[in-house]
Amino acid sequence: MKILVCISHVPDTTSKINFTDGDSKFDTNGVQFVINPNDEFGLTRAMWFKEKQGASVDVVNVGGAETEPTLRKALAIGADSAIRVNTEAKDGFQVAKELAKVAKDGGYDLVIAGRESIDYNGGMVPGMLAELTNANYVTNCISLEVEGVNATAVREIDGGKETVTTSLPLVIGGQKGLVEETDLRIPNMRGIMMARKKPLNVVEATTSGSETTSVKFEKPAPKGAVTLVDAGNLDELVSLLHNEAKVI
C-alpha cells in the first residue's frame, strides 16, 4: 500500500501573531512553525501501517523552502521520502489542485490529510482533493483500518460516531483520535540523522495561481476586554435587566 500524508507548515499555537503592510500580510518574524497537529495524527497512523503492513509512506507539502524543516521532521519521524511543491500556499483550492497532481502522479492508494489546518481552519482541502482524484472520502476520521483494498473508518458526527466501510483509493480528513496523543512520536537522534539522507524532492507548481486574495487580517479582541456602555443608555440597560431579564 502506498500512502501519501499531506503536511501543513503552521505556526505553533504559543506564537505571538502579528501582521504587516497594513494588516494585509502575516508577520513570520519570531514565529516557530510545526507540523499541523491534525496532520501529525495522520502521519503517526501512516507509520503504524508502515510497521504493521509494510506500507510505504511519503509526505507532501505545498510551500516555499522555509517549509523544509517541517518536512525533515516528518522524515525523522519515519516517512520514506518527501515532496515539496514549490509555490506559496494561498488558498484551499490551489493547494488541493497541487496535492491532487502529486497524488495522481504517485499512484497512491491512501491519502491522509488533516481535517483542517490550525492557522486558517478552512477544512476544505481533503474534500476537494478527493474530488479531484476521484477517490472515496471520509472526514472527521478518528479510526482507520485497511485490509487489502477495503477500509473501515470511524468518523465523528453530530451527537456521536459513525462507522463506514469503503474501498481504496481513499482520502481521509484525520483528526485527534486517529491515534492516541501518547502515540505521537518525537524524532530521536537516529531518526534525525537518517532524515538527512532521505530524498526531499522539489517539484514546480502546475496551476496558474490562487482564486482568492487576502485583503486584511484582524486580531480578535483581547481576553477580558470590556465593552464600554454609553452612559446615556445606562438607565435603559438597567431597566431591561431588571424587568425583562429579572436580574435583581
Side-chain angles (χ1 to χ4, degrees):
M1 179 169 58
K2 292 186 67 177
I3 302 175
L4 181 67
V5 182
C6 304
I7 300 292
S8 292
H9 174 79
V10 300
D12 188 280
T13 53
T14 61
S15 299
K16 186 176 181 180
I17 302 302
N18 289 300
F19 302 102
T20 61
D21 296 350
D23 292 338
S24 64
K25 292 183 180 179
F26 175 55
D27 185 2
T28 60
N29 290 322
V31 176
Q32 166 115 17
F33 285 83
V34 297
I35 298 175
N36 181 50
N38 286 323
D39 302 341
E40 194 168 4
F41 287 111
L43 177 59
T44 304
R45 190 58 181 165
M47 295 310 304
W48 187 91
F49 287 123
K50 177 181 177 179
E51 293 163 0
K52 302 296 183 181
Q53 300 183 5
S56 65
V57 178
D58 296 337
V59 292
V60 61
N61 165 260
V62 177
E66 71 280 359
T67 68
E68 290 190 5
T70 298
L71 286 173
R72 287 291 179 193
K73 180 181 178 182
L75 292 174
I77 288 172
D80 298 307
S81 68
I83 303 163
R84 177 173 69 82
V85 181
N86 188 32
T87 186
E88 181 183 358
K90 294 183 177 180
D91 65 42
F93 189 39
Q94 172 224 11
V95 170
K97 287 188 287 185
E98 297 296 346
L99 294 176
K101 177 68 164 53
V102 172
K104 288 178 180 178
D105 290 349
Y108 293 96
D109 305 296
L110 173 64
V111 179
I112 300 177
R115 179 191 68 181
E116 61 184 1
S117 62
I118 63 169
D119 48 5
Y120 287 96
N121 299 105
M124 62 182 75
V125 171
M128 291 190 291
L129 175 55
E131 175 66 22
L132 291 168
T133 57
N134 196 31
N136 294 317
Y137 176 50
V138 179
T139 191
N140 300 337
C141 188
I142 56 173
S143 176
L144 179 66
E145 300 288 345
V146 178
E147 291 292 338
V149 297
N150 298 312
T152 301
V154 179
R155 66 188 185 108
E156 284 191 345
I157 59 173
D158 288 342
K161 302 175 183 178
E162 180 182 43
T163 300
V164 297
T165 58
T166 185
S167 59
L168 305 180
L170 172 67
V171 176
I172 70 162
Q175 64 177 60
K176 181 179 178 180
L178 192 57
V179 297
E180 298 296 330
E181 287 189 73
T182 53
D183 292 331
L184 296 176
R185 305 182 181 196
I186 299 174
N188 55 31
M189 185 56 67
R190 182 171 180 270
I192 293 170
M193 297 300 292
M194 290 180 64
R196 296 177 180 176
K197 300 178 181 179
K198 292 179 180 179
L200 195 164
N201 302 309
V202 179
V203 298
E204 294 304 318
T206 59
T207 60
S208 58
S210 64
E211 302 290 333
T212 60
T213 301
S214 296
V215 177
K216 187 176 182 180
F217 295 94
E218 184 176 340
K219 291 183 181 181
K223 285 186 177 180
V226 176
T227 302
L228 297 178
V229 178
D230 186 344
N233 296 326
L234 188 57
D235 290 340
E236 180 183 358
L237 176 61
V238 171
S239 176
L240 289 171
L241 289 171
H242 179 70
N243 297 320
E244 295 191 17
K246 307 302 180 183
V247 175
I248 299 175

